[in-house]
Amino acid sequence: MAKLSRRAALSGAGALALLSACGSAIGDEPIRTRANEARYASDAFRRMTPAQWRERLSPAAFNVLRQEGTERAGTSPLEDEERRGTYVCAGCALPLFRSEWKYHSGSGWPSFFRVMTENVGTKADYVLLQPRTEYHCARCLGHQGHVFPDGPRPTGQRYCNNGVALRFAPA
Ligand SMILES: [Zn+2]
C-alpha cells in the first residue's frame, strides 16, 4: 500500500488521496494545535528577528529550529540520554517531552511516543513526495521534527525529533 501510494502521489488525484489518508490518521490535531499557537501570539519569542535567533542559537540549532533543517542521523548525544527529566525546546525552553516517553526507535534521532500536546503545533509537510506531519514548538514556532504512526504502545506514535532542537533538563 505504501509503495502504491508513493507512485500514486505523482498524479494530482493520488496526492489528494494521500493527503486525506494522512489527515484521518491525525484526526483534528491541526485544528487543536492552531489554538496552542494562538496562546503565544503576543509572546516576545514571536517578535524575534532571524538575526536575533542567529545570535541566540548555534548554527546547527538555527538550521533546524528556524529553517526546518534536519540534523544528520546518529549525531545527537540526546539519543542515548537515559536520565529522568524533561526535554524542552532549545529555542524558548517550553517543555515538550518527559523522559518516560522516550524510547529507542533505531532511527538515529531521539524518539518519543508521546508529546506534551498542548505545547506543539503541527502542519502537513511536503518536502518529500509523501506528505508528513511536521510538529513545532507552540510558543516560538521552532521546528522540532515529524510524527509518524509507527510508534510503540500505548500511543502508536513516533515523534522523531532533532536532538539539536531540544535541551535536556535532568529531574
Ligand atoms: Zn520554542
Short mmCIF file of all heavy atoms in Angstrom, two decimals, residues 82-87 97-103 112 168:
data_model
loop_
_atom_site.label_atom_id
_atom_site.label_comp_id
_atom_site.label_asym_id
_atom_site.label_seq_id
_atom_site.Cartn_x
_atom_site.Cartn_y
_atom_site.Cartn_z
N GLU A 82 19.60 8.78 29.13
CA GLU A 82 18.72 7.84 29.84
C GLU A 82 18.20 8.39 31.16
O GLU A 82 17.42 7.74 31.83
CB GLU A 82 19.50 6.53 30.15
CG GLU A 82 20.13 5.84 28.95
CD GLU A 82 19.14 4.98 28.17
OE1 GLU A 82 17.94 5.00 28.55
OE2 GLU A 82 19.55 4.33 27.20
N ARG A 83 18.66 9.57 31.54
CA ARG A 83 18.27 10.09 32.86
C ARG A 83 16.82 10.56 32.86
O ARG A 83 16.24 10.84 31.82
CB ARG A 83 19.19 11.26 33.25
CG ARG A 83 20.60 10.84 33.59
CD ARG A 83 21.48 12.06 33.79
NE ARG A 83 21.68 12.79 32.54
CZ ARG A 83 22.24 14.01 32.47
NH1 ARG A 83 22.61 14.63 33.57
NH2 ARG A 83 22.42 14.59 31.30
N ARG A 84 16.27 10.65 34.05
CA ARG A 84 14.91 11.18 34.20
C ARG A 84 14.95 12.69 34.10
O ARG A 84 15.88 13.33 34.63
CB ARG A 84 14.31 10.77 35.56
CG ARG A 84 13.95 9.31 35.64
CD ARG A 84 13.38 8.99 37.01
NE ARG A 84 12.14 9.74 37.27
CZ ARG A 84 10.93 9.34 36.89
NH1 ARG A 84 10.79 8.19 36.26
NH2 ARG A 84 9.86 10.05 37.17
N GLY A 85 13.96 13.25 33.45
CA GLY A 85 13.91 14.69 33.33
C GLY A 85 12.95 15.12 32.24
O GLY A 85 12.08 14.35 31.82
N THR A 86 13.15 16.35 31.78
CA THR A 86 12.25 16.95 30.79
C THR A 86 13.05 17.46 29.60
O THR A 86 14.13 18.03 29.77
CB THR A 86 11.49 18.13 31.43
OG1 THR A 86 10.88 17.68 32.64
CG2 THR A 86 10.41 18.67 30.50
N TYR A 87 12.51 17.24 28.42
CA TYR A 87 13.11 17.77 27.19
C TYR A 87 12.35 19.04 26.81
O TYR A 87 11.13 19.01 26.65
CB TYR A 87 13.04 16.73 26.07
CG TYR A 87 13.91 15.53 26.35
CD1 TYR A 87 13.44 14.47 27.15
CD2 TYR A 87 15.19 15.45 25.85
CE1 TYR A 87 14.24 13.37 27.44
CE2 TYR A 87 16.00 14.35 26.13
CZ TYR A 87 15.52 13.32 26.92
OH TYR A 87 16.32 12.23 27.21
N PHE A 97 8.72 17.15 26.08
CA PHE A 97 8.66 15.70 26.33
C PHE A 97 9.13 15.37 27.74
O PHE A 97 10.02 16.04 28.26
CB PHE A 97 9.58 14.93 25.36
CG PHE A 97 9.29 15.12 23.90
CD1 PHE A 97 10.04 16.02 23.15
CD2 PHE A 97 8.29 14.40 23.27
CE1 PHE A 97 9.79 16.19 21.80
CE2 PHE A 97 8.04 14.57 21.91
CZ PHE A 97 8.79 15.47 21.19
N ARG A 98 8.56 14.32 28.33
CA ARG A 98 9.08 13.75 29.57
C ARG A 98 9.97 12.57 29.21
O ARG A 98 9.72 11.88 28.21
CB ARG A 98 7.94 13.22 30.45
CG ARG A 98 6.99 14.26 30.94
CD ARG A 98 5.97 13.62 31.89
NE ARG A 98 4.79 14.44 32.02
CZ ARG A 98 4.76 15.63 32.65
NH1 ARG A 98 5.84 16.10 33.22
NH2 ARG A 98 3.64 16.32 32.71
N SER A 99 10.98 12.31 30.05
CA SER A 99 11.91 11.21 29.77
C SER A 99 11.19 9.86 29.69
O SER A 99 11.62 8.97 28.96
CB SER A 99 13.02 11.17 30.81
OG SER A 99 12.48 11.11 32.11
N GLU A 100 10.09 9.71 30.43
CA GLU A 100 9.35 8.43 30.40
C GLU A 100 8.75 8.13 29.04
O GLU A 100 8.34 7.00 28.78
CB GLU A 100 8.20 8.43 31.43
CG GLU A 100 8.59 8.73 32.85
CD GLU A 100 8.42 10.21 33.17
OE1 GLU A 100 9.33 10.99 32.79
OE2 GLU A 100 7.41 10.58 33.79
N TRP A 101 8.64 9.13 28.20
CA TRP A 101 8.02 8.93 26.88
C TRP A 101 9.06 8.66 25.80
O TRP A 101 8.73 8.48 24.63
CB TRP A 101 7.22 10.18 26.47
CG TRP A 101 6.16 10.55 27.46
CD1 TRP A 101 5.58 9.74 28.40
CD2 TRP A 101 5.55 11.85 27.62
NE1 TRP A 101 4.65 10.44 29.12
CE2 TRP A 101 4.60 11.73 28.67
CE3 TRP A 101 5.71 13.07 26.97
CZ2 TRP A 101 3.82 12.82 29.10
CZ3 TRP A 101 4.94 14.14 27.39
CH2 TRP A 101 4.00 14.01 28.44
N LYS A 102 10.33 8.61 26.19
CA LYS A 102 11.41 8.41 25.22
C LYS A 102 11.64 6.92 25.01
O LYS A 102 11.50 6.12 25.93
CB LYS A 102 12.68 9.06 25.78
CG LYS A 102 13.84 9.15 24.82
CD LYS A 102 14.92 10.03 25.45
CE LYS A 102 16.07 10.25 24.49
NZ LYS A 102 16.91 9.05 24.35
N TYR A 103 11.98 6.53 23.81
CA TYR A 103 12.33 5.14 23.54
C TYR A 103 13.36 5.10 22.40
O TYR A 103 13.58 6.10 21.72
CB TYR A 103 11.08 4.32 23.19
CG TYR A 103 10.53 4.57 21.80
CD1 TYR A 103 10.76 3.65 20.78
CD2 TYR A 103 9.81 5.71 21.51
CE1 TYR A 103 10.25 3.86 19.50
CE2 TYR A 103 9.30 5.94 20.23
CZ TYR A 103 9.53 5.02 19.23
OH TYR A 103 9.04 5.23 17.97
N PHE A 112 10.20 9.70 20.76
CA PHE A 112 9.25 9.69 21.87
C PHE A 112 7.92 9.16 21.36
O PHE A 112 7.56 9.36 20.20
CB PHE A 112 9.05 11.12 22.41
CG PHE A 112 10.32 11.82 22.80
CD1 PHE A 112 11.10 12.45 21.83
CD2 PHE A 112 10.76 11.83 24.12
CE1 PHE A 112 12.29 13.10 22.17
CE2 PHE A 112 11.95 12.47 24.47
CZ PHE A 112 12.72 13.11 23.49
N PHE A 168 17.95 19.08 27.36
CA PHE A 168 17.51 18.17 28.40
C PHE A 168 17.71 18.81 29.76
O PHE A 168 18.80 19.29 30.07
CB PHE A 168 18.28 16.85 28.30
CG PHE A 168 17.90 15.87 29.37
CD1 PHE A 168 16.60 15.35 29.42
CD2 PHE A 168 18.81 15.49 30.34
CE1 PHE A 168 16.24 14.45 30.43
CE2 PHE A 168 18.46 14.60 31.34
CZ PHE A 168 17.17 14.07 31.39
#
